[in-house]
């Protein structure tokens, strides 16, 4: 998550405070052998940067530490998958992982010097530090996989590759990402510590040790700063690559009466979670309750104001060259551009698809998981039979009806009646409960929506 613009001055002020305190402490001590000032450390770093020796040491240590981390990633995934498939493997690996986590780094380094040369020591130590952390993270992700989705995949005989992409990766990646964040920091700290003990020529650890024995405190602080920067930089790059290679997800926000009062705050908060498509749907009242009777119920007037405030924030981003996908606005833009919308609510008719419940029951829509619309069980009815059955045809026919009030509405061509779940009654005598909200929104936003559609068409 990126820091907000408001937090940047506060962070800079905090950094300035600690730098000033460091400078004051160095001046109070008055002996650079014990504590150099930040200005002296910076001067030393500036002198190191142009030298070939500096970049050679950075490349040497980075390559080996990241190599150990990469080995840890690969082995942790393979071992966690094996533990998932075999209880015996799980029982055999658990004490090993506990042992690796509990053993001090220094003990590992001294023992490893018996087995490997000093030049390869940081690879082994980084690998050992990353392995239990990432193994535990992958195991946690595997355990969080949706059992019902896995059962559905088994019933539908979905190929292993698609199961991996659609079920396992979304479950494992969040935990694996956090594990990588922790493991990368551990790899850098333990890898450099191994170099300080093993003293391989041309490494950062060797430079730290030489600075220590020659009492070059400025170099000691400069190299420490380099290690911190390298660790932070590689963490950011790796996590960005992991996010880019991850499974595409969208964020669904249910709009309640309370939440609708802060549309722009909600929008900005969701954006901080990453570059995900956003979806906003009004909170539904229970089917057997009157509309608007619950504390969380969303009144049409409040929903209309929410959509207008949300649109203002979205449009500002669009004008600044930042397109944020909001499903409702995306559909309106597609309609204005002459393209079909992506949702049945904006298409003017119910779509043809199936919802599979945990017990295998089939329904024509996730808003109509009702006994009246039960299409059978996935265990006894094929997908073709469920989609082409009489109940499915009746559902689609009813979904093509539109309230009579829609015929005279100036916004019918873009609104198309909305979702059937929001109708007050089925057939011409009904209407969309949120019709006032959509009228308010189109009165307010349609001219800018048209401009946005033209801009996007010509990009």
């Amino acid at each position: 998550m990126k820091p907000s613009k408001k937090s940047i001055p506060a962070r800079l002020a905090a950094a300035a405070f600690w730098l000033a305190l460091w400078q004051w402490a160095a001046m109070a001590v008055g002996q650079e052998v014990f504590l150099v000032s930040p200005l002296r450390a910076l001067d030393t770093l500036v002198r190191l940067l142009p030298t070939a020796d500096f970049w050679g040491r950075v490349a040497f240590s980075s390559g080996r530490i990241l190599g150990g981390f990469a080995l840890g990633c690969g082995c942790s995934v393979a071992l966690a998958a094996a533990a998932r498939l075999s209880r015996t493997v799980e029982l055999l690996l658990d004490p090993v992982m506990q042992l690796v986590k509990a053993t001090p780094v220094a003990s590992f380094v001294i023992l490893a010097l018996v087995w490997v040369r000093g030049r390869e020591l940081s690879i082994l130590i980084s690998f050992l530090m990353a392995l239990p952390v990432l193994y535990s993270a992958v195991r946690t992700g595997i355990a969080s996989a949706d059992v019902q989705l896995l059962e559905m995949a088994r019933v539908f005989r979905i190929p292993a590759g698609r199961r991996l992409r659609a079920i396992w990766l979304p479950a494992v990646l969040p935990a694996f990402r956090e594990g990588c964040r922790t493991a990368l920091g551990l790899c850098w700290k333990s890898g450099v510590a191994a170099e300080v003990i093993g003293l391989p020529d041309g490494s950062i650890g060797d430079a730290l040790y030489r600075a220590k024995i020659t009492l070059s405190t400025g170099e000691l602080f400069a190299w420490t700063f380099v290690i911190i920067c390298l660790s932070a930089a590689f963490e950011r790059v790796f996590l960005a690559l992991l996010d880019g290679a991850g499974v595409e997800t969208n964020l669904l926000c249910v709009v309640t009466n309370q939440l609708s009062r802060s549309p722009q705050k909600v929008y900005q908060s969701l954006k901080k979670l990453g570059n995900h498509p956003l979806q906003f749907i009004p909170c539904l009242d229970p089917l057997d309750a009157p509309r608007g009777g619950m504390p969380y119920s969303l009144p049409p007037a409040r929903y209309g104001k929410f959509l207008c405030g949300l649109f203002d924030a979205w449009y500002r981003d669009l004008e600044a060259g930042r397109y944020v996908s909001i499903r409702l606005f995306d559909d309106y833009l597609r309609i204005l551009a002459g393209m079909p919308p992506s949702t049945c609510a904006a298409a003017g008719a119910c779509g043809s698809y199936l919802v599979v419940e945990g017990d295998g029951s089939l329904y024509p829509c996730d808003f109509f998981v009702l006994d009246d619309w039960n299409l059978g069980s996935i265990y006894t009815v094929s997908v073709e039979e469920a989609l082409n059955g009489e109940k499915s045809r009746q559902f689609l026919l009813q979904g093509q009806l539109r309230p009579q009030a829609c015929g005279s509405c100036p916004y019918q061509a873009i609104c198309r009646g909305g979702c059937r779940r929001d109708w007050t009654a089925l057939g011409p005598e009904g209407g969309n409960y949120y019709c006032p909200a959509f009228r308010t929104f189109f009165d307010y936003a349609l001219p800018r929506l048209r401009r946005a559609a033209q801009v996007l068409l010509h990009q």
Side-chain angles (χ1 to χ4, degrees):
M1 185 185 301
K2 295 181 179 179
S4 65
K5 291 183 178 179
K6 291 183 179 179
S7 70
I8 292 176
R11 290 170 182 266
L12 292 175
F17 169 80
W18 289 111
L19 286 172
L21 185 62
W22 178 7
Q23 178 68 31
W24 174 84
M27 294 172 65
V29 171
Q31 294 287 334
E32 287 193 351
V33 171
F34 299 108
L35 182 64
V36 298
S37 69
L39 294 177
R40 178 65 174 172
L42 179 62
D43 177 68
T44 304
L45 177 61
V46 169
R47 286 189 286 105
L48 287 173
L49 283 173
T51 64
D53 179 70
F54 172 85
W55 293 107
R57 291 179 184 276
V58 168
F60 180 97
S61 296
S62 298
R64 281 158 173 75
I65 291 171
L66 294 178
F69 171 76
L71 284 174
C73 287
C75 290
S76 64
V77 172
L79 293 176
R84 167 70 170 74
L85 296 173
S86 171
R87 175 64 175 165
T88 302
V89 173
E90 179 184 2
L91 291 174
L92 289 173
L93 288 176
D94 279 349
V96 176
M97 296 300 169
Q98 292 297 328
L99 179 66
V100 173
K101 283 195 293 185
T103 304
V105 176
S107 298
F108 268 130
V109 173
I110 295 170
L111 286 171
L113 280 171
V114 179
W115 306 324
V116 298
R117 295 182 303 168
R119 294 181 66 83
E120 282 73 46
L121 184 61
S122 56
I123 300 176
L124 178 60
I125 298 302
S126 298
F127 164 74
L128 290 173
M129 294 301 104
L131 181 62
V133 175
L134 296 176
Y135 173 81
S136 177
V138 177
R139 289 293 310 279
T140 300
I142 289 175
S144 70
D146 193 318
V147 177
Q148 294 178 350
L149 282 178
L150 291 170
E151 176 65 16
M152 183 189 71
R154 184 188 65 80
V155 171
F156 278 101
R157 297 183 178 87
I158 295 175
R162 292 187 63 186
R163 293 190 202 188
L164 178 65
R165 293 192 302 272
I167 301 176
W168 290 115
L169 284 180
V172 171
L173 276 178
F176 183 69
R177 185 184 188 280
E178 291 308 307
C180 288
R181 184 193 296 273
T182 303
L184 273 167
L186 285 174
C187 285
W188 273 99
K189 288 189 287 187
S190 60
V192 173
E195 291 178 348
V196 170
I197 297 175
L199 296 177
D201 290 336
S203 67
I204 292 178
D206 178 59
L208 281 172
Y209 184 78
R210 290 175 185 274
K212 176 254 183 185
I213 61 175
T214 59
L215 301 180
S216 301
T217 314
E219 284 195 24
L220 191 64
F221 274 81
W223 278 112
T224 302
F225 180 72
V226 169
I227 295 167
I228 294 170
C229 290
L230 287 173
S231 177
F234 280 112
E235 177 186 314
R236 283 179 174 270
V237 171
F238 183 80
L239 294 181
L241 292 173
L242 198 61
D243 291 339
V247 177
E248 184 176 346
T249 59
N250 75 316
L251 302 179
L252 172 63
C253 178
V254 178
V255 184
T256 62
N257 184 28
Q258 293 85 347
L259 183 140
S260 67
R261 302 172 189 273
S262 307
Q264 301 195 22
K265 182 178 180 180
V266 171
Y267 174 73
Q268 297 298 338
S269 297
L270 291 176
K271 282 205 310 175
K272 290 179 182 178
L273 298 177
N275 186 25
H276 303 282
L278 306 180
Q279 184 179 357
F280 298 88
I281 60 173
C283 185
L284 296 177
D285 291 311
L287 287 169
D288 56 352
R291 282 293 185 122
M294 300 293 174
Y296 55 78
S297 297
L298 179 63
R302 181 69 65 185
Y303 187 39
K305 291 180 179 178
F306 174 83
L307 290 176
C308 293
L310 179 66
F311 180 81
D312 284 339
W314 174 84
Y315 195 78
R316 281 196 297 270
D317 275 342
L318 182 67
E319 287 185 314
R322 299 184 298 271
Y323 185 82
V324 177
S325 174
I326 295 180
R327 194 173 189 184
L328 182 65
F329 299 164
D330 289 348
D331 277 341
Y332 291 152
L333 292 174
R334 291 175 67 87
I335 292 171
L336 291 171
M339 295 183 288
S342 63
T343 63
C344 48
C350 290
S352 180
Y353 68 97
L354 293 176
V355 174
V356 185
E357 288 291 286
D359 61 357
S361 301
L362 300 172
Y363 299 89
C365 175
D366 48 351
F367 289 137
F368 288 88
V369 181
L370 307 169
D371 291 342
D372 290 343
W373 293 111
N374 187 307
L375 305 179
S377 171
I378 192 65
Y379 297 106
T380 58
V381 177
S382 69
V383 174
E384 291 77 12
E385 290 172 334
L387 289 174
N388 299 323
E390 181 60 28
K391 279 191 178 181
S392 285
R393 286 197 293 270
Q394 287 298 320
F395 185 83
L396 294 178
L397 285 173
Q398 291 183 16
Q400 292 175 0
L401 301 175
R402 281 293 176 265
Q404 189 172 5
C406 292
S408 58
C409 176
Y411 302 123
Q412 190 275 337
I414 187 171
C415 175
R416 303 184 181 183
C419 179
R420 172 181 163 186
R421 177 64 176 83
D422 294 324
W423 296 354
T424 56
L426 186 65
E429 68 278 7
N432 190 313
Y433 177 70
Y434 288 113
C435 181
F438 291 121
R439 283 180 175 268
T440 297
F441 172 70
F442 289 126
D443 285 341
Y444 181 77
L446 187 55
R448 284 183 286 170
L449 268 175
R450 294 186 189 278
R451 289 199 296 272
Q454 292 301 313
V455 170
L456 294 173
L457 271 176
H458 289 90
Q459 284 186 348

